[in-house]
Amino acid sequence: MDVRHPTVRRTWRARLPVEFSHFVLFDFTGHFSPASLDTTTDSRWIGRSGDGGALFHADDHNLEADVLVALHDTEPHPDGIDGHSYSGTLRTDTGSLVLAASTASPGDITVDLPAPGSYRLRAHRQPDPIDTSLGDEARCEQWTVHLWPDPTTT
């Protein structure tokens, strides 16, 4: 059993192009818009979440994001809580989220949660880029997004 994440129910992984410095984990078939999550002018933000899902901000110099989403039964042990992390809550109408580039890409994937409702999340962006598939000058970020049911709504 993994000591750091003993309650992992399922994982998903995608490599997405970073467009307009962000990517989303969002319930596009629900009643919400990701535009309502982009409410800051601070260029140092890591994430925003709320009704419909979450919006994640990549470093402006990186062109690709390698994202691991892990669904847990309960809150996982914190990893990498520092200036590269975000914690919040999201609410989904359908329980079906899309991990996607801003304008959609072939790498977009569906993240099917067990049920509609509220989920807690913790996202961590690794500070050092990794190799990318986009060419010599491109950089890729590694992200981990942990999700678990919001215990305050059950």
Side-chain angles (χ1 to χ4, degrees), residues 7-28:
T7 61
V8 174
R9 180 184 289 187
R10 180 156 182 218
T11 61
W12 298 263
R13 182 172 224 117
R15 189 167 278 223
L16 305 169
V18 172
E19 301 166 323
F20 307 108
S21 299
H22 64 270
F23 61 94
V24 297
L25 179 64
F26 206 81
D27 183 350
F28 283 104

Side-chain angles (χ1 to χ4, degrees), residues 59-71:
D59 185 301
D60 292 336
H61 301 288
N62 296 325
L63 300 177
E64 199 172 39
D66 182 66
V67 184
L68 173 70
V69 176
L71 174 64

Side-chain angles (χ1 to χ4, degrees), residues 26-80:
F26 206 81
D27 183 350
F28 283 104
T29 59
H31 296 95
F32 306 111
S33 167
S36 65
L37 299 177
D38 191 13
T39 59
T40 184
T41 57
D42 180 0
S43 65
R44 297 168 296 177
W45 66 280
I46 299 294
R48 298 281 180 268
S49 61
D51 290 339
L55 179 71
F56 301 102
H57 183 252
D59 185 301
D60 292 336
H61 301 288
N62 296 325
L63 300 177
E64 199 172 39
D66 182 66
V67 184
L68 173 70
V69 176
L71 174 64
H72 302 265
D73 291 326
T74 59
E75 182 176 1
H77 178 70
D79 60 344

Side-chain angles (χ1 to χ4, degrees), residues 24-29 52-54 69 90-100 109-113 119 147:
V24 297
L25 179 64
F26 206 81
D27 183 350
F28 283 104
T29 59
V69 176
L90 64 84
R91 185 165 63 97
T92 169
D93 286 341
T94 68
S96 184
L97 306 177
V98 178
L99 180 61
I109 62 169
T110 301
V111 174
D112 285 319
L113 300 176
Y119 290 83
L147 296 167

